[in-house]
Amino acid sequence: MSKKKYLFVFGTRPEAIKMAPVIRLFKNQPQFDTQVCVTAQHREMLDQVLDFFGIKPDFDLDVMKKGQGLVSLSSAILDGLKEVFQQAKPDAIFVQGDTTTSTIGALAAFYSGIKVYHIEAGLRTLNRFSPYPEEVNRQVTARLADLHFAPTITAKNNLLDEGIEPDKIWVTGNTVIDALLSGIELLEDYSSPEIEQLTSSLNPSKKLILVTGHRRESFGDGFKKICIALKKIAQRSDLQIVYPVHLNPKVQEPVYSILGDVENVLLMEPLGYPEFIWLMQHSYLVLTDSGGIQEEAPSLGKPVLVMRDHTERMEAIEAGTAELVGTNPSLITQSVERLLNNEALYRERSAKKNPFGDGKASMQILEILTGKKV
Ligand code: UD1
Ligand code: UDP
């Protein structure tokens, strides 16, 4: 019998982190022929993850352009994948999450008569513009996918509500926890110039607030308000803010111009995955609009303040590990102050169980495809 051919298609940092544990596992299965295609929707931030996990793509579309728009990005991916599919001839492709790469990858596969397996299926806000364009991306991918690997029961129920057949949906947990646990293990005897540099620039007697942000719906006014809030928070002498700034020029510009010279604020380039985990471990709380960080932080006992108006990760809000604070400077400042000043509240928020998985999601996906999980 010929081997099943699987092609993993991804393009951005979070997709790479969340695909890596699954790719590693599938590459070790002699019954499968497993290949990797990166669109390189991200370049430097993707390569950081590929290097760390030792993934060597079989195909690289290298589509990233500085300040790229959604339409030109989509058409470059759609065109590029047509040729890759003709060469690789996969039985199925895996896509992850809700980026342009995942949705356009799913569309290209559907048009080419190739099956689509969707990892991290079923997340919803039901608001088409928040997050934009991710909410529509993931709804479209659900229409195109043949199998849906939902991280939680809530995600499964969202798919059932949209009429997806129950026997096509599997609840697996989120593969980001698999990646995180392998990163934590590695950090036990790991060092790097970036970690040494951070260790010497950080003051261990000050509480560390870790910040990230990149959502399109916050470009312009939203990012200005976030930076104003951070400037205000940085006036406290008992804390320090560390902010690895996303490479999108629409993020870099406001962040460096408003926070570039502010005392207690350390701006830096995006960090490699182990370095970022190290920073999360050393932080007091995390202020972010990131999806992946909302999922990772509870495993490290770090409360998250989510700088967005809506989240598709309601499990974290319900579990009490995350709080929605939007981009309003006074709401952000008050929520940070509350966690800094109220020890009991902080302890409660940091001692919650992670609702997103136990680190076995990749194995579950493998067992589903080998018929071992029924
Ligand atoms: C993308 C995803 C978003 C995901 C995020 C993770 C879409 C529409 N958006 O948003 O869902 O949460 O990635 O970070 O798919 N850039 C670089 N180098 C890099 C990466 C980005 O210079 O390694 C700059 C480029 O100017 C690029 C811009 O950032 O044009 C935007 O990248 P893009 O992937 O289009 O959007 P993100 O905001 O990163
Ligand atoms: N991350 C990283 N380096 C950084 C910032 C984040 O490796 O400087 C990791 C983080 O641990 C998480 C993922 O990148 O796993 C989140 O990516 P991002 O916030 O860009 O995307 P999202 O999850 O919002 O789609």
Side-chain angles (χ1 to χ4, degrees):
M1 208 175 72
S2 67
K3 288 183 177 189
K4 276 261 180 246
K5 285 181 114 179
Y6 291 127
L7 182 69
F8 287 78
V9 178
F10 56 97
T12 65
R13 168 173 70 193
E15 293 165 89
I17 291 170
K18 290 170 169 181
M19 289 284 216
V22 194
I23 293 170
R24 272 187 168 176
L25 196 58
F26 274 63
K27 283 257 185 202
N28 281 330
Q29 306 304 313
Q31 73 274 35
F32 298 147
D33 177 352
T34 301
Q35 291 196 306
V36 170
C37 171
V38 295
T39 63
Q41 171 178 339
H42 283 176
R43 186 72 273 172
E44 302 88 328
M45 286 160 58
L46 172 73
D47 292 343
Q48 281 180 316
V49 183
L50 295 177
D51 288 348
F52 171 61
F53 284 102
I55 296 171
K56 296 200 182 0
D58 301 281
F59 304 92
D60 188 336
L61 301 183
D62 200 20
V63 298
M64 196 197 87
K65 300 251 185 320
K66 292 280 162 195
Q68 63 206 356
L70 295 174
V71 174
S72 53
L73 174 65
S74 301
S75 61
I77 295 172
L78 198 53
D79 250 359
L81 284 179
K82 185 180 91 181
E83 310 240 325
V84 171
F85 293 164
Q86 279 165 358
Q87 277 188 52
K89 298 193 173 43
D91 294 297
I93 69 157
F94 282 84
V95 295
Q96 197 286 332
D98 50 22
T99 65
T100 297
T101 290
S102 58
T103 303
I104 300 298
L107 184 65
F110 176 69
Y111 284 165
S112 307
I114 296 164
K115 285 196 164 31
V116 176
Y117 298 166
H118 187 201
I119 299 177
E120 196 183 86
L123 277 59
R124 296 289 183 269
T125 60
L126 300 181
N127 180 322
R128 295 198 306 145
F129 296 100
S130 178
Y132 173 84
E134 289 83 0
E135 176 64 15
V136 168
N137 280 353
R138 53 200 175 212
Q139 291 189 21
V140 171
T141 304
R143 307 315 322 158
L144 299 166
D146 295 276
L147 287 182
H148 310 256
F149 301 116
T152 63
I153 299 278
T154 306
K156 175 180 177 172
N157 288 335
N158 290 336
L159 293 165
L160 291 173
D161 287 347
E162 291 174 11
I164 307 283
E165 302 94 312
D167 62 338
K168 301 282 188 279
I169 311 171
W170 299 85
V171 178
T172 60
N174 198 308
T175 58
V176 78
I177 308 300
D178 309 21
L180 178 69
L181 297 184
S182 69
I184 293 172
E185 204 179 304
L186 173 111
L187 274 172
E188 279 167 22
D189 44 16
Y190 177 89
S191 194
S192 68
E194 290 81 5
I195 290 183
E196 280 164 30
Q197 174 69 40
L198 279 164
T199 310
S200 63
S201 17
L202 294 174
N203 179 343
S205 65
K206 289 186 174 194
K207 286 177 176 152
L208 193 164
I209 298 185
L210 177 58
V211 180
T212 80
H214 67 83
R215 301 245 79 94
R216 267 182 163 71
E217 62 274 14
S218 299
F219 289 170
D221 199 40
F223 266 96
K224 277 196 201 121
K225 290 197 293 188
I226 287 172
C227 293
I228 289 165
L230 294 174
K231 200 168 174 177
K232 174 98 197 324
I233 293 164
Q235 287 171 359
R236 271 180 73 141
S237 57
D238 61 341
L239 58 80
Q240 57 204 325
I241 294 175
V242 179
Y243 185 169
V245 188
H246 192 289
L247 294 179
N248 195 325
K250 296 239 169 62
V251 180
Q252 295 256 324
E253 281 153 22
V255 171
Y256 277 93
S257 74
I258 302 174
L259 297 172
D261 295 319
V262 175
E263 205 177 330
N264 286 332
V265 179
L266 179 60
L267 302 179
M268 59 180 65
E269 296 285 290
L271 285 166
Y273 192 46
E275 286 76 16
F276 191 76
I277 296 173
W278 184 93
L279 253 191
M280 282 196 283
Q281 284 176 327
H282 287 78
S283 67
Y284 182 79
L285 64 87
V286 187
L287 257 175
T288 188
D289 62 17
S290 163
I293 297 169
Q294 289 176 61
E295 293 155 348
E296 291 167 335
S299 287
L300 300 165
K302 306 300 170 183
V304 180
L305 298 177
V306 184
M307 297 187 291
R308 294 166 56 175
D309 295 329
H310 306 94
T311 180
E312 54 291 302
R313 275 108 175 154
M314 282 307 289
E315 295 88 341
I317 308 288
E318 281 153 15
T321 67
E323 177 187 345
L324 273 181
V325 298
T327 54
N328 180 309
S330 26
L331 195 53
I332 296 176
T333 318
Q334 281 161 21
S335 306
V336 169
E337 295 276 339
R338 210 169 30 244
L339 279 175
L340 286 168
N341 299 338
N342 185 338
E343 287 265 335
L345 176 71
Y346 180 82
R347 269 200 307 277
E348 194 196 315
R349 292 267 202 92
S350 51
K352 303 286 187 182
K353 190 172 169 287
N354 192 321
F356 296 108
D358 56 5
K360 300 195 176 86
S362 316
M363 185 53 82
Q364 296 222 30
I365 292 172
L366 176 66
E367 288 179 355
I368 292 159
L369 291 179
T370 49
K372 292 195 185 121
K373 184 172 161 142
V374 284

